[in-house]
Amino acid sequence: MRLFILSLLAAVLLTISPVQGRPLASCGDVITESTVLTQDLVCPGSEYAIVMGAPNITLDLGEHLLQGDSTNIGVFSNGFEGLTIQNGVIENFSRGIFLANTPDVIVQDLTVRNLEVTDPNNFIFGVAINDSQDVTVRNMLFE
């Protein structure tokens, strides 16, 4: 009986505990739930370091570094609304963040630096916004 009560209590506590997000596994992941980076992530050779693959999720870099190899895109989303990207450093990409057809987004508390020009006929973008409405960019540092 005591074991049953402890199991029931544990189940109740798990259902009311806040979800912290899952740790990011590797470069190129398509995330479909809120995710917290638990360590720096270096992504040479990946077309996209992280792809936002569902609506209404948060990517929290957890004060960590997301680093590319100058030819790729740091964080990419196409067609998902209600996203938040926050809290870390994105460096050495051709585009730090690229949002396409992605409305209602918050990009905040990030440093985007050391972006590389891979084609002199193209611009570099810290945050590229294409056909996306209601995008808020705040508390950013671009170096």
Side-chain angles (χ1 to χ4, degrees):
M1 179 69 163
R2 186 174 191 181
L3 182 59
F4 173 76
I5 292 172
L6 288 175
S7 297
L8 182 61
L9 180 61
V12 169
L13 288 175
L14 285 174
T15 60
I16 62 172
S17 297
V19 174
Q20 297 298 319
R22 69 172 183 85
L24 195 64
S26 61
C27 298
D29 270 2
V30 176
I31 62 171
T32 57
E33 61 184 296
S34 290
T35 301
V36 179
L37 208 64
T38 57
Q39 62 186 17
D40 292 350
L41 191 60
V42 179
C43 298
S46 298
E47 182 177 5
Y48 308 109
I50 300 171
V51 176
M52 306 288 281
N56 304 310
I57 59 174
T58 296
L59 172 61
D60 187 332
L61 297 182
E63 301 286 329
H64 291 285
L65 171 69
L66 179 63
Q67 184 180 54
D69 66 0
S70 78
T71 62
N72 48 359
I73 294 171
V75 180
F76 176 73
S77 176
N78 186 3
F80 295 106
E81 65 181 326
L83 305 179
T84 300
I85 304 164
Q86 64 185 13
N87 195 24
V89 177
I90 298 173
E91 75 174 14
N92 204 29
F93 291 97
S94 63
R95 291 176 182 88
I97 298 170
F98 185 25
L99 305 172
N101 304 305
T102 303
D104 190 26
V105 176
I106 298 172
V107 179
Q108 64 186 3
D109 302 320
L110 293 168
T111 297
V112 181
R113 64 181 180 215
N114 297 334
L115 301 177
E116 297 288 331
V117 177
T118 56
D119 179 348
N121 295 319
N122 287 325
F123 294 101
I124 58 171
F125 298 96
V127 178
I129 302 167
N130 185 22
D131 293 325
S132 302
Q133 294 76 37
D134 299 319
V135 176
T136 301
V137 178
R138 63 179 170 225
N139 299 326
M140 301 287 291
L141 176 62
F142 296 94
E143 298 179 330

